[in-house]
Amino acid sequence: MISASYEESDEKNVLKSSDLNLKTLIIIPTRNGSSDLARLFRSLSDQTPEPDVVVVDSSSSDSTVEVAGSNGAMVYSIPVSEFNHGGTRQLMVDKNPDYDVYIFMTQDAYLADEHAIEHIRVMVISGVRGDRRMAYPVD
């Protein structure tokens, strides 16, 4: 059994937070999302350890690029005509190949729990896959 309670359990097979040394990258496609990004970046900064963040911006005309950069994100800009939901995300994975876990978010999403990234790492290590924000055991 794998438990997300980390250090709180005495069971032998409990995953410890120290086992979660997976290099993690959050990928966020944006377009004119500056008004939503502050809440998203606040939720990311609460994570332990704080993940690396890439923003791929599709020619925003607001301050999206500046907000992302001032919050420590690596920022890539592409013409809006080149944006493709799957292709743009894959492009960011290809440009950043040295990560163990890639988490795709949208500019208006945020993490409500300061352990959300750790929980995702637990699922990755334990062989659970995420699908539409729901976790299912692998057959």
Side-chain angles (χ1 to χ4, degrees):
M1 174 181 160
I2 295 179
S3 170
S5 62
Y6 313 109
E7 316 292 343
E8 298 172 17
S9 176
D10 292 331
E11 294 180 41
K12 277 169 97 176
N13 295 327
V14 172
L15 195 60
K16 303 286 190 266
S17 57
S18 59
D19 295 331
L20 303 175
N21 295 326
L22 298 174
K23 192 171 176 189
T24 303
L25 181 66
I26 307 289
I27 298 174
I28 309 164
T30 60
R31 180 141 196 256
N32 296 328
S34 62
S35 63
D36 294 315
L37 286 177
R39 179 174 69 169
L40 170 56
F41 279 107
R42 270 194 312 275
S43 75
L44 291 172
S45 68
D46 291 340
Q47 301 299 304
T48 306
E50 193 173 338
D52 292 337
V53 179
V54 162
V55 166
V56 56
D57 185 72
S58 300
S59 306
S60 288
S61 59
D62 66 0
S63 60
T64 296
V65 170
E66 293 80 9
V67 170
S70 69
N71 280 281
M74 297 175 277
V75 179
Y76 296 87
S77 295
I78 62 170
V80 69
S81 61
E82 292 180 15
F83 177 79
N84 172 286
H85 287 283
T88 300
R89 288 167 172 84
Q90 185 61 51
L91 176 66
M92 293 301 102
V93 170
D94 294 344
K95 287 184 175 284
N96 298 279
D98 297 327
Y99 289 85
D100 302 304
V101 177
Y102 297 90
I103 299 173
F104 303 100
M105 296 186 70
T106 58
Q107 66 191 24
D108 60 345
Y110 68 98
L111 301 170
D113 180 303
E114 66 271 8
H115 300 291
I117 300 300
E118 261 187 307
H119 294 310
I120 291 169
R121 289 178 179 145
V122 167
M123 289 189 295
V124 168
I125 289 171
S126 64
V128 176
R129 64 179 172 84
D131 187 14
R132 294 186 177 258
R133 297 176 298 274
M134 297 295 290
Y136 301 95
V138 175
D139 298 340

